[in-house]
Amino acid sequence: WWVIKLVHSGIHPDFKQKVGLSIEKIARMQNISIRRGAVGLLTLVSGVCGIFLFSMMSAEEIDDQLSTILIAVGGSAIMTSAMWELFACLRYQREEKALQKDLRDDEESRAAIVKLMEEDVGKPLLDQDQKDVFERCSKLLGTVGEDEWKVLKFPSYETKMWYTFFTAMEGERGLATGKATAILDCSAQEAAAWQMDFCSKERMRVSKSERNPGRKELMHKAKGNERCFATVKRFPFPIDNREFVVRQIWKTEGQGSKVDKVLIAFESIDDEVDYGKKLKKIRGLTSGMFVYKNLPDRAGANQCEVTLVQNADS
């Protein structure tokens, strides 16, 4: 236990937070890569060789052949593990530089979206098709009264969640609909821009780390206030992966040049998506709306309240 504790305390806090490394994961060998496992095995081999050499020092006669083998094996294990760790550190530095560049690119992309939102406050951005999407999605917010939403427990005092079941029309299935609210430490425009930038470089990295088979933006369908995305979510065996192809549209509400609210409506579309490889998947359907409302500044810091209402059929 003390060896595990020593190893855990010797790792940089930022790295532990980034990879979610804990004492329990080390002890149970959870989420440990093959390279980490091999380095651990080599360290164990070098330790065992050292113990044997130390025990041989008390013997009256030392077996030169055995001691040579132990020194060679132990030394090779130490050198190999040291080289692997060195290459891993160099690769981590390269990846960190690439990550910082990607974060700067994402920030510029979101800044362009925020600028467009602030320039188009109160302007008639929506065409008739987009208005129909907002009308369909906004029904999820006001179809039932507040007393019909049932509280869903969530382990965070900053987030509140509810769910309800809408009455199904004849020939249709009734779907559960969820609603959640939270306070964010940014402006409504910044939060909405993050949601619209669904295929940012940072979020593509996260999707890849979660081993999701596909995620892409349909560039040919992009407009000023509209983006279309496709994502394939990995599900555990034997459940097939789920594909969602979604259309997102934003609009702003406010007075003059001040943005009071940013609304994002989203719903599934029927477009077929080429991921560059054959994927076994089932198409899922979803629709909903984000409502981002700017709050009064607190000590000069921007804050907004976000409300999400969504249903899904997969």
Side-chain angles (χ1 to χ4, degrees):
W1 168 257
W2 289 108
V3 173
I4 295 174
K5 183 72 174 177
L6 181 63
V7 171
H8 185 261
S9 60
I11 302 174
H12 196 279
D14 293 341
F15 182 73
K16 285 190 290 188
Q17 183 178 5
K18 182 174 294 186
V19 301
L21 196 61
S22 64
I23 295 178
E24 291 77 14
K25 287 183 178 180
I26 296 175
R28 298 175 183 175
M29 297 298 288
Q30 291 182 350
N31 298 336
I32 303 299
S33 65
I34 296 176
R35 184 187 63 80
R36 287 286 178 187
V39 170
L41 180 61
L42 291 172
T43 304
L44 178 62
V45 170
S46 62
V48 171
C49 291
I51 292 173
F52 271 103
L53 286 172
F54 183 77
S55 63
M56 290 174 62
M57 293 176 62
S58 60
E60 294 181 358
E61 294 184 5
I62 299 177
D63 190 337
D64 294 337
Q65 185 177 4
L66 179 59
S67 61
T68 302
I69 294 174
L70 290 174
I71 292 173
V73 173
S76 299
I78 293 174
M79 290 298 297
T80 304
S81 60
M83 291 298 294
W84 277 4
E85 288 298 317
L86 176 61
F87 287 135
C89 290
L90 294 175
R91 186 179 66 179
Y92 177 76
Q93 289 181 351
R94 291 195 301 268
E95 291 177 352
E96 188 66 21
K97 290 180 180 180
L99 175 61
Q100 294 303 319
K101 181 180 182 301
D102 290 346
L103 292 177
R104 290 193 296 269
D105 294 342
D106 291 344
E107 187 176 353
E108 292 178 1
S109 176
R110 290 194 296 270
I113 299 175
V114 169
K115 183 178 179 181
L116 184 60
M117 291 178 177
E118 293 175 344
E119 288 177 350
D120 293 322
V121 179
K123 294 183 180 179
L125 282 173
L126 306 182
D127 55 34
Q128 187 58 47
D129 182 41
Q130 293 175 336
K131 290 179 181 178
D132 293 340
V133 173
F134 266 94
E135 183 178 355
R136 290 192 294 269
C137 294
S138 61
K139 289 180 180 179
L140 297 176
L141 284 170
T143 302
V144 299
E146 290 297 326
D147 56 341
E148 296 186 44
W149 289 97
K150 300 178 182 179
V151 177
L152 190 63
K153 292 184 178 180
F154 190 75
S156 173
Y157 70 93
E158 298 176 341
T159 303
K160 299 179 181 179
M161 300 179 68
W162 303 264
Y163 72 96
T164 190
F165 289 91
F166 291 123
T167 303
M169 303 295 289
E170 185 177 354
E172 296 181 354
R173 289 195 304 158
L175 295 177
T177 299
K179 183 172 72 169
T181 63
I183 303 298
L184 306 180
D185 293 326
C186 61
S187 68
Q189 306 92 286
E190 292 170 334
W194 185 89
Q195 175 60 29
M196 291 300 298
D197 198 13
F198 189 79
C199 286
S200 66
K201 293 181 179 180
E202 179 185 11
R203 296 172 76 175
M204 292 293 286
R205 283 174 176 265
V206 173
S207 180
K208 185 178 180 180
S209 67
E210 294 174 349
R211 295 165 58 194
N212 291 317
R215 187 185 185 103
K216 66 182 299 184
E217 181 176 354
L218 310 184
M219 300 299 296
H220 64 284
K221 298 181 73 68
K223 298 180 182 179
N225 67 324
E226 181 176 336
R227 301 278 184 90
C228 295
F229 310 98
T231 181
V232 181
K233 293 292 185 180
R234 183 176 67 92
F235 275 65
F237 179 82
I239 304 174
D240 289 332
N241 296 329
R242 295 300 193 265
E243 177 192 33
F244 293 91
V245 185
V246 178
R247 175 188 189 189
Q248 287 190 161
I249 308 166
W250 64 263
K251 71 174 183 179
T252 57
E253 294 180 0
Q255 296 180 349
S257 59
K258 182 180 178 181
V259 178
D260 294 329
K261 287 183 181 179
V262 181
L263 298 92
I264 298 178
F266 60 91
E267 67 175 9
S268 294
I269 54 179
D270 297 329
D271 293 52
E272 292 295 329
V273 181
D274 181 12
Y275 296 97
K277 56 184 177 181
K278 188 175 181 180
L279 299 176
K280 186 178 181 181
K281 60 189 184 300
I282 294 177
R283 177 68 67 95
L285 302 175
T286 186
S287 63
M289 180 176 287
F290 288 93
V291 179
Y292 301 92
K293 181 181 179 181
N294 276 318
L295 301 177
D297 293 351
R298 296 184 61 181
N302 293 326
Q303 280 194 328
C304 70
E305 180 186 56
V306 57
T307 299
L308 166 64
V309 59
Q310 180 180 10
N311 61 26
D313 183 6
S314 58

